[in-house]
Amino acid sequence: MAESNYIDNLSQCNDDFSSLQVIRSPPPSRRVTLVSDMIEVVTTQEHLVKMLRRQDIHRRHHLRLNANHALIDLSGSDNDNDDDYNKRKQYLLNVMTHKLDNVHEEMNNSINILFDNKKQVEELEFAFDVLTKFINNIDYANDFVKIGGFYIFLPCFRSEHSSVRIKTCEFISKLVQNNPYCQNKFMENTNCLKLRALMYMVENDNDNDVRVKALAAIYSLVRQNIPVFWKFIELGGKDLILNSLKTPINNLKFRAVIFIYSTNSQMDNDVLELYVDNGVVEIICSIIMDMENNVESLYHEMVLLTLNQFMHLSPVRVKEICSSVEDFMEALISLRDAYSNQPVYQKEKEEVLWLLGKLRL
């Protein structure tokens, strides 16, 4: 079957990556937690929850103070003897305390489910949904790392179910985005296996949605993290982005454009030559030439913004490249005329007009 062939190829993409096959997840009855900057293996979930509860004392204390203050403000009364007021306040405090006490337990239960290869695909997907609802809180996102949550990624990358691979990539995107701690922890590995696994999936997965989600996860991983970005480039990221730009898969192509636009915005001239020297401007010109008929309208503005960004950063060089692309000016004029007949394309038309003005100088 195609799915099983993908899993076999994933494990053998290179000598280092093949070591994924011998990595074993910790048994479900064991969890790892960080206590006083030391790693301690905990053999029962009850013991784990008890220790993690200590980490929440300070957090819970402040939440209680805030809850008290909020309830007093909302009540419109300072009368602590009011039975209804006290009941409302106690109810809220009980709910908040119960939730804090059970977050790590719920996360551990979901992690254990994802370790169990006998679980149904629906159970695996639901486990990711449970984890996702917590990691929007940066403290719990970091706690997920400390209790050994990163161990689930490699087994889930190897899942025969494309929906599980998609959920894994989506979860990583949310976990690491704008979170330097999780970004750096994701890379803590001499061979960067997890990043390399994502890169392999972008170029080789037989499900296009998985490829798109894997590139989105890489984008979140390198965003606002310059050392991680350059490590990605060192591992072959430049070619991966170029190949994604050239793909006939529009969603993957668009994700690559977003990646380029974002990294240009972060680092300006530090990455300009990396892209310009490797033909990115020519590829974006070719995408624009096909936009009138072959590229979804949703993507037009971002593609035009990206080329105009290059023009701002290096006007002489990019103008020279654009002028050398055969029929590019004619394609821009045709695109301008097409936009004139459709008011919804006002922003796109403005980008085209600006670009035409620069190229005619």
Side-chain angles (χ1 to χ4, degrees):
M1 294 178 62
E3 291 282 2
S4 60
N5 289 337
Y6 164 76
I7 303 303
D8 292 340
N9 290 335
L10 176 62
S11 65
Q12 298 178 9
C13 65
N14 54 53
D15 292 339
D16 292 329
F17 193 68
S18 66
S19 61
L20 288 178
Q21 294 295 329
V22 300
I23 291 177
R24 294 291 180 266
S25 304
S29 61
R30 294 167 64 87
R31 295 265 65 80
V32 178
T33 186
L34 189 64
V35 180
S36 300
D37 296 322
M38 296 183 64
I39 296 295
E40 177 178 349
V41 177
V42 183
T43 55
T44 67
Q45 186 163 296
E46 292 75 18
H47 187 194
L48 171 69
V49 173
K50 182 178 179 181
M51 287 194 302
L52 287 172
R53 218 172 262 158
R54 300 171 192 164
Q55 299 177 357
D56 282 331
I57 291 175
H58 184 69
R59 193 183 310 164
R60 189 184 304 119
H61 173 67
H62 284 284
L63 284 170
R64 283 175 173 158
L65 289 177
N66 291 337
N68 278 322
H69 181 68
L71 283 167
I72 290 171
D73 288 342
L74 289 172
S75 70
S77 170
D78 293 329
N79 184 6
D80 286 343
N81 294 322
D82 183 272
D83 288 341
D84 289 338
Y85 163 75
N86 288 328
K87 286 178 182 178
R88 289 196 303 272
K89 182 175 76 170
Q90 189 59 48
Y91 174 76
L92 180 58
L93 290 175
N94 289 341
V95 168
M96 294 173 70
T97 302
H98 175 78
K99 187 172 182 179
L100 285 167
D101 285 345
N102 285 275
V103 166
H104 295 99
E105 182 177 356
E106 288 194 48
M107 286 201 296
N108 269 308
N109 288 339
S110 297
I111 290 169
N112 287 340
I113 289 172
L114 292 167
F115 279 140
D116 189 347
N117 56 18
K118 295 181 181 179
K119 295 293 185 183
Q120 297 295 316
V121 63
E122 292 81 6
E123 295 177 273
L124 300 174
E125 292 173 3
F126 182 73
F128 272 121
D129 291 338
V130 171
L131 290 170
T132 299
K133 76 178 183 180
F134 294 123
I135 63 166
N136 288 328
N137 180 310
I138 193 168
D139 290 326
Y140 290 133
N142 295 345
D143 288 346
F144 170 82
V145 179
K146 295 173 185 177
I147 64 176
F150 275 11
Y151 285 111
I152 67 175
F153 293 144
L154 294 178
C156 289
F157 286 153
R158 297 198 302 269
S159 173
E160 63 180 329
H161 306 290
S162 61
S163 62
V164 173
R165 302 198 299 276
I166 288 172
K167 284 281 187 181
T168 308
C169 294
E170 290 176 337
F171 179 77
I172 291 171
S173 294
K174 293 177 181 178
L175 178 70
V176 302
Q177 182 165 302
N178 301 322
N179 187 331
Y181 175 81
C182 288
Q183 289 173 328
N184 294 331
K185 285 293 183 181
F186 193 90
M187 299 293 292
E188 277 188 1
N189 178 313
T190 54
N191 293 315
C192 300
L193 283 180
K194 292 184 285 294
L195 173 57
R196 293 171 69 195
L198 285 172
M199 294 173 67
Y200 185 84
M201 292 163 72
V202 171
E203 298 209 287
N204 297 284
D205 201 285
N206 52 19
D207 186 296
N208 289 343
D209 288 337
V210 175
R211 297 177 67 179
V212 173
K213 297 295 183 180
L215 184 53
I218 294 172
Y219 167 73
S220 294
L221 183 65
V222 307
R223 186 180 181 188
Q224 301 297 330
N225 194 319
I226 294 175
V228 174
F229 170 80
W230 287 115
K231 186 63 179 179
F232 165 68
I233 296 299
E234 179 185 325
L235 293 173
K238 176 198 69 181
D239 291 336
L240 182 144
I241 296 300
L242 286 171
N243 292 338
S244 298
L245 277 178
K246 297 174 184 177
T247 181
I249 306 167
N250 277 341
N251 286 338
L252 186 59
K253 184 184 301 182
F254 181 56
R255 180 57 61 180
V257 171
I258 292 176
F259 186 101
I260 291 168
Y261 183 84
S262 175
T263 50
N264 266 341
S265 299
Q266 290 175 44
M267 292 181 275
D268 292 341
N269 292 330
D270 289 341
V271 296
L272 180 65
E273 291 186 5
L274 174 72
Y275 291 138
V276 174
D277 289 348
N278 289 281
V280 168
V281 173
E282 290 91 337
I283 296 172
I284 291 178
C285 287
S286 69
I287 294 173
I288 291 174
M289 292 174 71
D290 289 336
M291 285 200 314
E292 191 173 350
N293 300 311
N294 299 321
V295 179
E296 293 180 36
S297 58
L298 174 66
Y299 306 153
H300 286 205
E301 184 179 4
M302 178 54 69
V303 175
L304 290 166
L305 280 171
T306 302
L307 182 57
N308 289 353
Q309 182 190 57
F310 277 114
M311 186 71 75
H312 278 294
L313 293 173
S314 183
V316 175
R317 181 114 181 258
V318 174
K319 178 183 177 182
E320 180 183 348
I321 293 172
C322 291
S323 300
S324 69
V325 176
E326 187 176 357
D327 297 330
F328 182 61
M329 286 288 290
E330 290 79 359
L332 281 177
I333 293 170
S334 178
L335 202 55
R336 177 203 63 190
D337 295 341
Y339 289 152
S340 296
N341 300 324
Q342 303 182 59
V344 294
Y345 287 116
Q346 184 60 36
K347 291 183 179 179
E348 289 84 347
K349 182 180 177 180
E350 290 173 0
E351 297 296 333
V352 170
L353 290 173
W354 184 89
L355 189 57
L356 283 170
K358 289 294 180 181
L359 293 176
R360 284 170 171 162
L361 292 177

